[in-house]
Amino acid sequence: MTREKLRVGLDIGGTKVHAVAIDALGEVVADLRRPTGYGTDAVLASAKAAVVELARLAAVQPQDFRSIGVGIPGSVDAEAGRVANAVNLGVADLALGPQLAAEFGVAVRVENDVNAAALGAWHLVGFGSPLTAGASRSMAYLNLGTGMAAGIVLDGVLWPGSHGTAGEIGHIPVDPNGVICSCGQRGCLETLASGSAVARQWPTRHPLPVVEMFEAAERGDALAIEVRDRLVVGTAVAVRILILSFDVDTVVIGGGVSSLGMPLLGRIRATLDEWAAESAFLAALDLSDRVEFVPEGSAVAALGAALAGDPHRASRAAGAA
Ligand SMILES: [Zn+2]
């Protein structure tokens, strides 16, 4: 039996690089986390070291990998493999794809981290592997991390839009009297429903402000209830926008805030049901049945990066192989 070639996925975040190697079925066969350096040279070095270490774990040489996919925050030009304005990483502009390809002699694809995670979520919720599936289903992955953004997957293929902006729904203004957002607009959805929105409204030294805020709300703390309800309603608004814009089969929610699990999901569904009770139009759309969370503890971002890394993925998804 010839050994199949593994695909590598790197999820490069502000504190760590999560690297996985997957087989042809999308199963993770090697997995590691290492700290991310700060600044262009350090980020590149972290990525290279992760690939080398992963090869050692998988008992192969780095050049034996089939492909390397990278999910990274910031403005990503996926065609050129460049990332710009990754503020948390201290990267102004980096030709990450060409650099990794030159180092290892392997095809490299770089995607925005939310778009990469969307492919991982597609796989994990059982829509089939983008590597093999031709299922004509559609999904929006709604990431509730520090910010809010979505990745759109249609028939197993990412749809980034004409300028890579599709799914930037966190910057849809919903409150004309709201606070100024990091993007310069006022009252963006992200200022109500995201990790940074909770941290701003619920200052604490707790490592997970959203968890502490939810517990305080359960105990009846008035401010916590206000902050929680803004988070819940803002997320429900995002689900409604994604379904009304793209009519996706499912909205899958992930990111740090989603670690709250059922207490949050139950409230989002209840809010969608309240709206449905007042609108026959919304009721017909079954919004609350079309929202779910990523499986707990799953590595959507790194897995998705590995799936994104295959240069032939799009044609195979369409049934070409
Ligand atoms: Zn904004």
Side-chain angles (χ1 to χ4, degrees):
M1 193 179 97
T2 53
R3 183 156 185 191
E4 61 174 291
K5 287 193 165 189
L6 302 172
R7 296 172 173 83
V8 173
L10 303 180
D11 170 36
I12 302 181
T15 55
K16 67 174 187 335
V17 178
H18 184 196
V20 298
I22 64 168
D23 65 16
L25 296 174
E27 294 298 317
V28 174
V29 299
D31 182 317
L32 67 89
R33 289 176 169 79
R34 64 191 322 284
T36 312
Y38 184 84
T40 305
D41 293 344
V43 166
L44 181 58
S46 304
K48 286 179 180 174
V51 173
V52 170
E53 221 173 301
L54 200 62
R56 193 179 50 75
L57 275 179
V60 297
Q61 296 299 314
Q63 61 267 27
D64 293 334
F65 287 129
R66 180 190 176 98
S67 60
I68 298 171
V70 184
I72 190 166
S75 308
V76 173
D77 179 342
E79 293 308 315
R82 294 189 84 92
V83 56
N85 307 318
V87 180
N88 292 340
L89 298 171
V91 171
D93 185 29
L94 172 60
L96 183 57
Q99 294 264 15
L100 291 177
E103 176 82 11
F104 299 116
V106 174
V108 180
R109 174 91 181 175
V110 182
E111 286 284 355
N112 167 267
D113 56 346
V114 173
N115 281 344
L119 284 175
W122 171 279
H123 182 67
L124 283 171
V125 299
F127 276 17
S129 167
L131 300 171
T132 55
S136 59
R137 300 188 68 178
S138 57
M139 185 204 77
Y141 169 74
L142 176 62
N143 193 68
L144 293 180
T146 306
M148 174 201 277
I152 315 295
V153 185
L154 306 175
D155 299 348
V157 179
L158 268 177
W159 192 72
S162 61
H163 299 81
T165 325
E168 288 286 358
I169 63 167
H171 297 295
I172 295 177
V174 291
D175 180 3
N177 301 312
V179 299
I180 300 286
C181 179
S182 60
C183 74
Q185 302 184 98
R186 184 182 289 278
C188 288
L189 207 40
E190 180 172 295
T191 66
L192 304 173
S194 66
S196 61
V198 170
R200 185 190 78 246
Q201 300 173 89
W202 185 259
T204 175
R205 301 175 87 87
H206 194 284
L208 293 167
V210 72
V211 169
E212 189 191 57
M213 177 274 287
F214 242 73
E215 287 169 1
E218 291 299 321
R219 290 195 307 270
D221 182 284
L223 173 62
I225 290 171
E226 261 181 52
V227 176
R228 179 193 68 191
D229 290 353
R230 277 188 207 113
L231 172 66
V232 169
V233 171
T235 306
V237 166
V239 170
R240 183 174 57 185
I241 288 171
L242 287 166
I243 290 181
L244 291 180
S245 301
F246 299 98
D247 192 20
V248 285
D249 290 302
T250 307
V251 177
V252 180
I253 301 177
V257 175
S258 73
S259 63
L260 284 167
M262 268 318 288
L264 176 59
L265 181 57
R267 285 180 182 277
I268 294 166
R269 285 183 170 149
T271 301
L272 294 168
D273 285 336
E274 280 169 33
W275 295 343
E278 294 162 0
S279 161
F281 166 67
L282 284 186
L285 300 178
D286 288 327
L287 295 180
S288 68
D289 288 340
R290 293 163 72 177
V291 58
E292 59 183 286
F293 278 15
V294 292
E296 207 182 330
S298 53
V300 280
L303 173 64
L307 294 170
D310 188 333
H312 305 300
R313 184 183 56 78
S315 58
R316 238 201 313 289

